[in-house]
Every structure is written in structure tokens, then in C-alpha cells.
Amino acid sequence: SGAAGAAGGEGERAVAALEQALLGHLDDSLAAASLLPDSAAATKRAQLEGAAEVAVQLCMLTGRSGVLWDHVFPRFQAYDQVPALLARLQPYILAGDLPSPAPEVVQALVLHFAEVGQPEQVERCVLHMDIASLDITQVMRVCRESRLYSAVAYILTRGLDDYVAPAVELLMALAAAGTCPATPDTLHATQAAGYKLLVYLQCCLRQHRFPPGAGPLPPARGPAVKAAILGLLLYGTVDAMIRLWHGLGGGSAKIPDAALHEQLPGPHPALRRGLAV
């Protein structure tokens, strides 16, 4: 046991030395890149992304993802070069190898993809993250604005254990789209929300998690989820759905409740709207 302990100690010291070497290399690379002129943009980008790749690979090999959040990310942030690091982190997040990024890293990722007009990349990443690492309010706002309904459903079910709210979100999205002038954009929005609604309802009624392929719900939870969804479809009122929608931060003052009522006629408004998809 003494030999094993000594070997373990040597291993820890070797990893610590590697980390220090990495951080020194990062400091030098980031400083050198910052001195490059605008005319060398391609060289600068390659240098930054190369440094980010080395940092991410080493931290993954040593199992020290905390170094990424505590030391690597702040260095890129100090030089205003966070996108270069995010580009190298994203494949590992999508592969499920980094399920719990630090909240400030998630925030930077959400803001970056929103700014560059790629909100769908936020959804792809969110579906592979632990809910505890998310700023739910911020991510929900981006996802609602960009109609990323899979991420909305994932956050509400995994974060709040609420399986009725995603169905209401999708029903309200369908109703809201119906109040807008018929354009290719609104038609696409209606089709997307309708498809996601049917897929979501199918998962719940089969007592499975969302998105599809995420496995069954726990035996103690599945029947209750199925019953709650059936209750919404058979007995849910438009007024109750609107209250839930607004209570969760959805909705828009530009769409009066009367217009939503017109789009969700009774009886059984949720069921009728689902069947009309």
C-alpha cells in the first residue's frame, strides 16, 4: 500500500506539473496572439484555436475539467477570446463528455451563439447538459425567442419536473402563430411547433422521457405524467393554459387572450388543437 500511495503521489505531482506547463503555454500563446495585427486574422485565429485545443485535450486526458472552468476559461476571457475556446469545447459537450460546464461558461456559450445568429447550437448543447449548470431564466428566454422547443421541454421536465408545461408551451406557440399573418415564416413555425407537440405527447403517453431515445420515466413517475397529460388534453381550459404560460415567463402582451381563445376553440381545446396538427 505504501508503494501504491507513493506512485499515486507521483502521478498527482506529474499532473500538477502538466497543468502548470499548460497554463504557462496558454499565457504565452494568448499574449502573442494579442500582438498580431488585424491583417494576420487567420494566423491569430489558428493560434488561438490551437491553444484552446491543447488546453481542452489535456484537461480531458487528465480528468481535470475543473481546470477548464477555473483557469483556462478566465484566461481566454481576459483576452476577449472566449469564442475560440467555445469552438473547442462544443464537440466535447455534444459528445456528453462535459455535461456540467461552469455557469459562466454556459452563459458565454448562450450569448455567443445568440449573437452570431446560431441559437440552434444552444439547443444542441443544452440537450447534453446537466440542468444544474444552466441559468434557466437566461436559457429559456433565448430558446423561446428562437423557437427551440426541444430545449424548452428538456429544461422544464428535467429542471422543474413539470411535464404539463412543455405541452402548454407548444400549444400556446401554435395558437400564437395562428394569430399572425400567413407567411412562410409563420407556416414554418406552426409546422415545427406542431411536430414537436406530437412527438412530446407521444413520449409522455408512452411514459418516456423527452427527447425521444432518453429512456423510460421512473416507474413511480410514469403513470402520473401520463395521467397529467391526459388531463390536459381532456379537461384543460384555455384560461388555465394561458395562466400557466404567463406564469412560466411565456406569452406576449402583443397577443390578447381573446385571440388565443379563438385559436383554441372548445370543447377539449388542447385535444382538438393536437388533432388538427
Side-chain angles (χ1 to χ4, degrees), residues 14-30 50-62 64-69 71-73 75-76 85:
V15 170
L18 276 175
E19 289 174 0
Q20 290 304 311
L22 167 65
L23 297 179
H25 169 70
L26 269 185
D27 289 335
D28 293 341
S29 297
L30 290 167
E53 182 66 24
V54 169
V56 174
Q57 284 191 359
L58 180 60
C59 290
M60 295 302 297
L61 285 171
T62 58
R64 302 292 183 94
S65 59
V67 174
L68 285 171
W69 322 135
H71 300 288
V72 175
F73 177 76
R75 281 169 162 80
F76 279 86
L85 178 60

Side-chain angles (χ1 to χ4, degrees), residues 15-208:
V15 170
L18 276 175
E19 289 174 0
Q20 290 304 311
L22 167 65
L23 297 179
H25 169 70
L26 269 185
D27 289 335
D28 293 341
S29 297
L30 290 167
S34 70
L35 299 175
L36 291 172
D38 293 341
S39 59
T43 301
K44 182 176 183 177
R45 182 172 61 254
Q47 187 166 331
L48 290 168
E49 291 184 353
E53 182 66 24
V54 169
V56 174
Q57 284 191 359
L58 180 60
C59 290
M60 295 302 297
L61 285 171
T62 58
R64 302 292 183 94
S65 59
V67 174
L68 285 171
W69 322 135
D70 297 337
H71 300 288
V72 175
F73 177 76
R75 281 169 162 80
F76 279 86
Q77 196 172 39
Y79 282 92
D80 197 25
Q81 298 297 339
V82 169
L85 178 60
L86 295 178
R88 291 297 175 260
L89 288 174
Q90 189 186 16
Y92 292 91
I93 293 172
L94 294 178
D97 295 327
L98 288 172
S100 302
E104 59 270 23
V105 176
V106 177
Q107 182 179 32
L109 184 146
V110 171
L111 291 174
H112 168 66
F113 284 122
E115 288 173 358
V116 300
Q118 296 180 324
E120 69 281 357
Q121 297 300 328
V122 175
E123 181 172 64
R124 293 183 67 205
C125 291
V126 165
L127 294 177
H128 291 85
M129 289 181 182
D130 291 340
I131 291 296
S133 67
L134 302 178
D135 179 334
I136 290 179
T137 301
Q138 179 202 35
V139 177
M140 284 287 286
R141 177 180 54 77
V142 172
C143 291
R144 281 192 175 112
E145 290 174 353
S146 304
R147 303 169 184 162
L148 304 176
Y149 301 120
S150 291
V152 169
Y154 179 82
I155 291 168
L156 291 173
T157 56
R158 302 295 179 91
L160 303 180
D161 194 33
D162 189 334
Y163 286 80
V164 172
V168 170
E169 284 269 352
L170 288 160
L171 286 163
M172 291 293 105
L174 282 169
T179 67
C180 301
T183 66
D185 185 58
T186 56
L187 177 61
H188 175 74
T190 302
Q191 291 174 336
Y195 172 74
K196 286 289 171 64
L197 174 64
L198 293 179
V199 172
Y200 180 77
L201 292 176
Q202 183 183 58
C203 285
C204 292
L205 293 175
R206 289 182 173 179
Q207 302 181 37
H208 278 223

Side-chain angles (χ1 to χ4, degrees), residues 232-258:
L232 171 68
L233 293 174
L234 296 175
Y235 307 113
T237 66
V238 179
D239 286 332
M241 287 189 282
I242 291 174
R243 285 195 300 272
L244 176 58
W245 194 37
H246 288 313
L248 290 169
S252 168
K254 297 178 182 178
I255 305 175
D257 289 357

